[in-house]
Amino acid sequence: MKIEVSADKRTVQGKGASRRLRGSGKVPGIIYGGDDAPQSIEMDHNDMYYKLKMEAFHASILTLNVSGKKEQALLRDVQMHPYKQLVLHVDFQRVDPKKKIHMKVPLHFINAEVAPGVKTSGGIVSHVLTEVDVTCLPKDLPEFITVDLIDLAAGHTLHLSDITVPDNVEITALVKGDDQAIAAITIPRSVLASESAAEGGEAEGEAAAED
């Protein structure tokens, strides 16, 4: 998904200027990195607020159009108001197409409902991780990584080494030798209790039959 953000250069600095900017429906930000100097920018608040709700906006190479000059960038930090639906500040980092980047990518879980641990054992999928840090060139950055749970049985755990990633993409933790757990299927106590009660009833029935 290609996402473009329109912005204007911001020349006035300071808390007072930022408050006035927000009062006019704008949100302050900055773009930094690469060979160019950091540039303060301002964007439409409502447009930014709704873009931030998009999962892909947080894990994609963005096109930042600053006063007509387009640059490739990553979203690096967002400051939100503690209780108002208000974006206070946004940080972007320029992207060098020839240099690898580190980026958190969301995990999309599929086939949970037909996994043996759920379908036949009545288990519940527990998501240990919902995103993972990857290393790759900007052109290879995936919007998400699919995790297939179709073979996961009750009491078993899926690890980073069990998932398939796109070509030229590395999971940073695995490179460091840390094979973290991603998901597991556990059996709820209520199901275990029901099974125990059923087994007890069968045992009593067999004993009565023998008598």
Side-chain angles (χ1 to χ4, degrees):
M1 180 184 295
K2 293 183 178 180
I3 304 175
E4 182 168 318
V5 178
S6 295
D8 292 314
K9 293 181 179 180
R10 178 166 55 97
T11 56
V12 183
Q13 306 292 331
K15 292 183 178 180
S18 294
R19 280 196 299 269
R20 289 191 294 274
L21 195 66
R22 296 186 191 104
S24 65
K26 300 287 186 179
V27 57
I30 189 170
I31 179 170
Y32 60 87
D35 297 328
D36 294 336
Q39 174 64 57
S40 296
I41 57 177
E42 59 184 63
M43 298 148 287
D44 180 78
H45 178 273
N46 289 344
D47 180 62
M48 181 56 54
Y49 180 79
Y50 287 108
K51 277 188 169 66
L52 287 168
K53 289 181 174 290
M54 300 165 55
E55 181 185 70
F57 191 69
H58 296 259
S60 298
I61 304 297
L62 309 172
T63 298
L64 200 58
N65 188 339
V66 183
S67 300
K69 179 184 177 181
K70 294 186 177 182
E71 300 182 86
Q72 301 298 297
L74 294 170
L75 176 68
R76 279 308 190 194
D77 190 44
V78 179
Q79 296 176 31
M80 299 293 297
H81 193 279
Y83 56 88
K84 294 180 181 179
Q85 294 183 337
L86 187 65
V87 185
L88 299 180
H89 197 275
V90 186
D91 290 7
F92 297 96
Q93 181 182 358
R94 295 184 183 95
V95 167
D96 185 334
K98 297 180 181 179
K99 292 183 179 179
K100 289 187 175 182
I101 56 174
H102 288 274
M103 195 73 181
K104 289 189 181 298
V105 174
L107 298 175
H108 284 190
F109 295 87
I110 62 170
N111 292 322
E113 68 281 356
V114 295
V118 174
K119 189 173 182 179
T120 62
S121 302
I124 296 175
V125 177
S126 173
H127 297 131
V128 182
L129 296 178
T130 57
E131 60 181 13
V132 64
D133 189 83
V134 301
T135 305
C136 61
L137 289 173
K139 68 180 180 63
D140 297 319
L141 179 67
E143 288 184 19
F144 58 86
I145 293 174
T146 300
V147 180
D148 195 345
L149 303 176
I150 195 166
D151 295 321
L152 192 59
H156 288 226
T157 301
L158 207 65
H159 291 81
L160 290 174
S161 59
D162 297 318
I163 64 175
T164 302
V165 297
D167 292 339
N168 304 315
V169 176
E170 294 179 317
I171 296 177
T172 309
L174 281 180
V175 175
K176 297 178 180 178
D178 185 8
D179 192 9
Q180 300 174 27
I182 301 173
I185 294 183
T186 57
I187 306 298
R189 290 182 180 179
S190 57
V191 174
L192 292 174
S194 297
E195 291 178 351
S196 297
E199 290 172 359
E202 290 176 3
E204 289 177 2
E206 291 174 358
E210 290 177 0
D211 291 343

